[in-house]
Amino acid sequence: MIYLLLQSMIGNEIKTARDLLLQNEVVAIPTETVYGLAGNALSEIAVSKIFEAKNRPHFDPLIVHVGKISDVELYVEEIPELAFNLMEQFWPGALTVLLPKKSCIPDLTTSGLKEVGIRIPNHPITLELLNSLSFPLAAPSANPFGYISPTSAQHVEDQLGEKIPYILNGGYCSVGIESTVLRVQDNEIEVLRLGGISLESLHRFTPSIRIEEHSTSSPASPGMLTSHYAPKKPVYVGNIRELMTSFSSQKIGILSFKEDYGVFGQRILSTSGNFTEAASHFFAYLRELDSLEIDVILAEFLPDENLGRAINDKLKRASAK
Ligand code: TXA
Ligand code: MG
């Protein structure tokens, strides 16, 4: 009985999720990138509950999710042409665009910033949910602040299960890493967070792409905090064979790109070296390794291209002290 009371519900009832959201509650929702912890983006009560459940600092703004492109103009002052072209090309999908917000979006949602990050997620259940509501959903990744992002309903349950009433189950996230966050200025794209849409695919729209440098103190996008996505076990990134020698006296786990190191606690992101497959496994494997009886996680960088670049960025943050 007590066991039952402590469980938050995992289910696939869109109506249950909707009813809770209408009451200013928070609900975990599936997206193609990672699971989000959603609440009414226009409600300070709901947004406060999101920050509280995640233990998230209030300086870190939330992404606002909408169900269709025509909704965007309800929440932003203007949409530059390049931004609109990107939205048309990549939505629904792993792209978040920063745009000047209208005053109906509370300052709490954007942490006092004048821009709001907006995206249409590509998941049928969540699209149906969004299109059944008269408000957009603020949703950060559904993990405690600083920890690994969840790519299944069970991941959410494991960490936030006692803090939220409902987890809408949409299976495993197909992309597996978060959205790319960017803003446009004139004909330039400024990327604040590398993610599921690669720089290569953005390059088709403009030759000038700038990547915001990391910062720990006053991050332009707090997903850029140096230490983030961190498992509890220490992570070392480098040449795995050399690391294996250095850590020979300890119990090691390995996260490799495609090579088999013949070790028990090992996860191979993609034996065929496919970046998309590697991204879809990345967070889940990091979590699995973190739960093994090992002392350290040894990992290697992927080639710095395509989604490999975004994964490398996360590896750097996961290993930062
Ligand atoms: O794929 C995703 O983006 C997932 C799913 C649930 O949509 N969401 C997600 O949210 O990753 P979160 O909160 O974990 O990361 C959002 C990132 C943070 O780095 C945040 O600082 C940045 O986007 N961000 C959001 N709004 C912003 C704003 N107005 N200005 C600058 N950065 C912003
Ligand atoms: Mg996050």
Side-chain angles (χ1 to χ4, degrees):
M1 191 60 186
I2 288 172
Y3 174 76
L4 281 177
L5 285 174
L6 288 177
Q7 294 280 303
S8 81
M9 284 247 293
I10 298 184
N12 46 23
E13 298 290 330
I14 293 175
K15 185 181 177 309
T16 306
R18 181 173 184 274
D19 289 347
L20 286 162
L21 291 163
L22 286 169
Q23 294 161 43
N24 273 331
E25 288 300 332
V26 295
V27 169
I29 56 166
T31 85
E32 82 284 24
T33 58
V34 301
Y35 274 73
L37 183 59
N40 179 351
L42 308 183
S43 157
E44 293 195 346
I45 298 170
V47 169
S48 301
K49 286 183 185 169
I50 296 175
F51 279 101
E52 195 180 307
K54 267 191 71 111
N55 201 11
R56 179 175 175 117
H58 281 268
F59 63 72
D60 196 354
L62 306 181
I63 292 174
V64 170
H65 299 69
V66 296
K68 47 186 183 305
I69 286 199
S70 57
D71 285 350
V72 177
E73 65 191 35
L74 302 171
Y75 310 117
V76 309
E77 294 288 356
E78 55 165 336
I79 309 175
E81 193 184 333
L82 174 56
F84 191 77
N85 292 341
L86 294 171
M87 285 153 52
E88 275 203 319
Q89 172 71 31
F90 296 110
W91 283 358
L95 178 74
T96 295
V97 182
L98 301 183
L99 294 164
K101 81 173 183 75
K102 282 193 171 157
S103 57
C104 60
I105 302 280
D107 287 339
L108 195 61
T109 306
T110 62
S111 300
L113 298 174
K114 298 213 167 0
E115 288 175 322
V116 58
I118 296 213
R119 92 172 182 106
I120 302 182
N122 190 11
H123 194 291
I125 293 179
T126 291
L127 283 174
E128 192 179 329
L129 174 65
L130 282 165
N131 286 316
S132 77
L133 293 166
S134 60
F135 50 80
L137 292 176
S141 52
N143 51 283
F145 184 72
Y147 193 66
I148 305 167
S149 299
T151 52
S152 75
Q154 190 58 52
H155 292 164
V156 181
E157 158 92 317
D158 290 346
Q159 291 187 304
L160 296 179
E162 288 167 27
K163 296 192 170 167
I164 59 178
Y166 197 64
I167 300 168
L168 189 55
N169 192 353
Y172 288 97
C173 301
S174 57
V175 173
I177 55 174
E178 297 92 338
S179 61
T180 299
V181 179
L182 59 78
R183 69 162 65 86
V184 305
Q185 238 154 20
D186 303 320
N187 214 30
E188 186 178 75
I189 291 176
E190 187 183 356
V191 174
L192 287 90
R193 178 177 71 181
L194 296 166
I197 300 294
S198 68
L199 297 184
E200 285 83 348
S201 41
L202 294 174
H203 257 298
R204 285 188 270 128
F205 289 81
T206 172
S208 45
I209 299 185
R210 215 151 48 87
I211 303 175
E212 181 71 36
E213 287 305 318
H214 307 171
S215 158
T216 44
S217 50
S218 66
S221 185
M224 302 298 276
L225 285 169
T226 310
S227 173
H228 216 73
Y229 310 110
K232 299 190 179 72
K233 305 265 157 65
V235 178
Y236 293 87
V237 192
N239 178 302
I240 288 186
R241 291 212 187 279
E242 285 173 22
L243 289 169
M244 284 168 76
T245 309
S246 315
F247 289 93
S248 58
S249 62
Q250 302 202 36
K251 279 189 257 170
I252 60 165
I254 288 179
L255 184 66
S256 75
F257 178 32
K258 55 184 177 181
E259 205 175 323
D260 184 344
Y261 291 90
V263 169
F264 166 69
Q266 163 180 278
R267 297 290 181 280
I268 305 173
L269 289 170
S270 168
T271 48
S272 62
N274 179 291
F275 290 119
T276 307
E277 185 184 25
S280 73
H281 289 152
F282 179 70
F283 283 131
Y285 284 2
L286 207 49
R287 248 171 217 268
E288 283 175 24
L289 288 169
D290 206 22
S291 69
L292 296 181
E293 294 223 349
I294 53 175
D295 303 315
V296 291
I297 298 169
L298 310 181
E300 64 189 356
F301 287 119
L302 280 62
D304 217 17
E305 60 190 74
N306 209 296
L307 296 189
R309 200 181 276 116
I311 295 171
N312 289 345
D313 185 67
K314 290 170 202 307
L315 278 172
K316 281 178 208 153
R317 291 169 208 284
S319 61
K321 298 293 169 302

